[in-house]
């Protein structure tokens, strides 16, 4: 189903609003540390290019460029010191170490200090990160600014009356907190959408995270915010990254719901958890929904262990549509390049069909 809107005084049928910026391509890391070796980054520009290419090929929606300000959008979620680090990290690293991607070397152990930010760029990389899979490159800041603008712009369209919008934003965001990065994420695009919705008048907002991995960053950003309900279905953190967050007993006094699932989960065995999540969202009675849309639940994903088929994703979209909420989809993970476009398109087309 397409939605009808008034534009310039005449009724016009519009499909999904899609926001995209080619500036995402500025983030192009060389390598990440995986399984004991440096491998080419799974999180790469062709991911978003494949998604937007497939959406355009199918004519799934109208594609626009972002119109919101990236810096201002970032400041609604992230701490100033962290943003200053992110903006300056690359030139400082390059001046010291040369033209190689910046990766941290060590992290604090329990009992070490977090209240004092190191002066050296090496120490700051360790201070602000939580893994070695997330290189800072020459284009990281530019891409992060664009991703923030894309997410805020998609939400602005929904807040202005669109039924739904898709932010084809990259790099992904749901592992990034107010003052930390990791898991291929530097800035939290879903959280930026939430704050944009609240600026536009939403009193309560829900986040549904359907990425294969726990949205630890989003959970952390809103942990003490009773007006935002965060909910994530993901691989059990006892087995899977990010390991230290995502357990079912992390409830934030009822405003956070984690549904950890075993390796091998397929669409049929995922559905009861999804229904629990949607029931939790309905009980919260939000004014708007932000979906962290990762499709690394796909059976062929190179870093994940769920078994969704491409034909399952429209069902996921229909289930999300059953919440009957203004909905902003924000692209998160999905590393199987051959199917990422079809899987994302499947979700939003399933949503639009309801
Ligand atoms: Zn993921």
């Amino acid at each position: 189903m397409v939605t009808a809107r008034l534009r310039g005084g005449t009724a016009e049928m519009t499909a999904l609003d899609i926001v995209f910026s080619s500036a995402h391509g500025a983030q192009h890391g060389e390598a990440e540390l995986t399984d004991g070796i440096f491998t080419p980054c799974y999180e790469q520009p062709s991911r978003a290019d494949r998604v937007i290419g497939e959406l355009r090929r199918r004519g799934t929606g109208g594609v626009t460029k972002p119109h919101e300000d990236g810096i201002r959008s970032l400041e609604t979620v992230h701490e100033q010191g962290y943003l200053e680090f992110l903006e300056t990290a690359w030139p400082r690293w390059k001046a010291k170490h040369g033209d190689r991607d910046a990766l941290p070397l060590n992290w604090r152990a329990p009992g070490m200090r977090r209240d004092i930010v190191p002066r050296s760029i090496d120490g700051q990389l360790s201070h602000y990160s939580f893994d070695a899979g997330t290189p800072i490159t020459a284009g990281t800041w530019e891409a992060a600014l664009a991703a923030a603008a894309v997410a805020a712009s998609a939400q602005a369209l929904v807040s202005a009356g669109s039924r739904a919008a898709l932010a084809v934003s990259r790099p992904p965001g749901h592992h990034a907190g107010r003052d930390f990065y990791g898991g291929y994420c530097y800035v939290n695009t879903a959280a930026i959408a939430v704050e944009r919705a609240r600026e536009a008048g939403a009193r309560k907002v829900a986040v549904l995270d359907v990425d294969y991995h726990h949205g630890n960053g989003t959970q952390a950003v809103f942990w003490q915010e009773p007006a935002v309900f965060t909910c994530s279905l993901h691989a059990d953190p006892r087995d899977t990254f990010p390991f230290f967050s995502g357990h079912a007993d992390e409830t934030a006094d009822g405003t956070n719901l984690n549904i950890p699932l075993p390796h091998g989960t397929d669409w049929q065995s995922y559905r009861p958890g999804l229904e629990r999540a949607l029931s939790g969202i309905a009980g919260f009675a939000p004014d708007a929904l932000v979906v962290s849309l990762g499709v690394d639940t796909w059976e062929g994903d190179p870093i994940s262990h769920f078994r969704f088929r491409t034909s399952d994703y429209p069902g996921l979209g229909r289930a999300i549509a059953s919440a009957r909420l203004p909905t902003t989809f924000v692209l998160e993970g999905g590393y199987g390049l051959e199917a990422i476009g079809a899987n994302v398109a499947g979700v939003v087309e399933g949503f639009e069909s309801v």
Side-chain angles (χ1 to χ4, degrees):
M1 186 182 81
V2 291
T3 53
R5 279 191 298 176
L6 284 174
R7 235 183 227 169
T10 57
E12 181 181 328
M13 301 302 283
T14 60
L16 186 77
D17 284 309
I18 299 167
V19 185
F20 174 73
S21 167
S22 59
H24 78 86
Q27 170 63 22
H28 194 173
E30 284 182 30
E32 63 176 78
L33 186 56
T34 300
D35 302 338
I37 57 172
F38 279 103
T39 59
C41 290
Y42 288 105
E43 205 297 292
Q44 54 178 276
S46 55
R47 297 179 57 252
D49 291 338
R50 297 258 184 148
V51 170
I52 200 69
E54 182 67 13
L55 293 167
R56 282 182 164 136
R57 191 185 70 77
R58 297 180 181 210
T60 303
V63 181
T64 58
K65 293 179 180 174
H67 58 276
E68 296 273 316
D69 180 72
I71 290 274
R72 207 195 65 76
S73 302
L74 287 172
E75 289 174 345
T76 63
V77 169
H78 294 283
E79 291 188 354
Q80 195 59 40
Y82 173 65
L83 292 176
E84 288 169 8
F85 155 77
L86 207 55
E87 183 174 10
T88 61
W90 172 253
R92 295 169 59 212
W93 169 271
K94 185 179 177 186
K96 188 172 180 183
H97 297 300
D99 203 9
R100 295 184 299 275
D101 289 358
L103 285 172
L105 187 60
N106 70 300
W107 292 278
R108 74 180 59 73
M112 288 182 169
R113 304 282 295 268
R114 194 172 198 272
D115 58 322
I116 299 174
V117 181
R119 273 196 294 258
S120 92
I121 181 59
D122 303 81
Q124 289 190 3
L125 287 166
S126 295
H127 179 80
Y128 287 116
S129 70
F130 69 90
D131 74 8
T134 315
I136 288 181
T137 74
T140 297
W141 176 245
E142 181 185 350
L145 277 177
V150 167
S153 299
Q155 181 58 56
L157 292 168
V158 173
S159 294
S162 288
R163 178 190 180 214
L166 167 64
V168 184
S169 45
R170 189 195 149 261
H174 71 149
H175 293 302
R178 292 195 187 279
D179 64 350
F180 63 83
Y181 71 97
Y184 311 152
C185 302
Y186 308 87
V187 298
N188 195 310
T189 38
I192 286 166
V194 168
E195 294 300 359
R196 185 66 184 77
R198 277 146 55 91
E199 282 179 2
R203 290 174 301 107
K204 295 197 289 184
V205 182
V207 179
L208 174 64
D209 190 323
V210 296
D211 188 277
Y212 172 79
H213 303 92
H214 176 234
N216 63 290
T218 311
Q219 174 177 303
V221 167
F222 296 116
W223 185 255
Q224 293 183 303
E225 177 47 76
V228 179
F229 180 77
T230 47
C231 177
S232 179
L233 298 100
H234 47 262
D236 193 322
R238 290 174 296 183
D239 306 314
T240 300
F241 182 93
F243 297 115
F244 309 110
S245 179
H247 298 281
D249 64 353
E250 298 159 18
T251 60
D253 294 329
T255 60
N256 185 69
L257 175 61
N258 285 333
I259 302 177
L261 298 164
H263 285 184
T265 293
D266 63 9
W267 171 234
Q268 287 307 321
S269 51
Y270 188 90
R271 291 180 73 161
L274 181 60
E275 284 167 17
R276 268 186 66 209
L278 291 168
S279 174
I281 290 167
F284 186 67
D287 305 307
L289 176 64
V290 174
V291 178
S292 271
L293 179 55
V295 293
D296 40 7
T297 46
W298 181 55
E299 59 186 347
D301 193 276
I303 64 170
S304 305
H305 302 279
F306 279 3
R307 292 181 185 157
F308 279 42
R309 298 174 181 168
T310 294
S311 58
D312 294 327
Y313 286 96
L316 175 58
R318 288 192 294 274
I320 294 168
S322 73
R324 305 278 174 198
L325 288 165
T327 300
T328 303
F329 293 92
V330 177
L331 182 63
E332 300 283 4
Y335 306 96
L337 294 176
E338 61 272 50
I340 185 173
N343 293 343
V344 170
V347 174
V348 294
E349 289 176 0
F351 181 95
E352 290 281 298
S353 73
V354 174

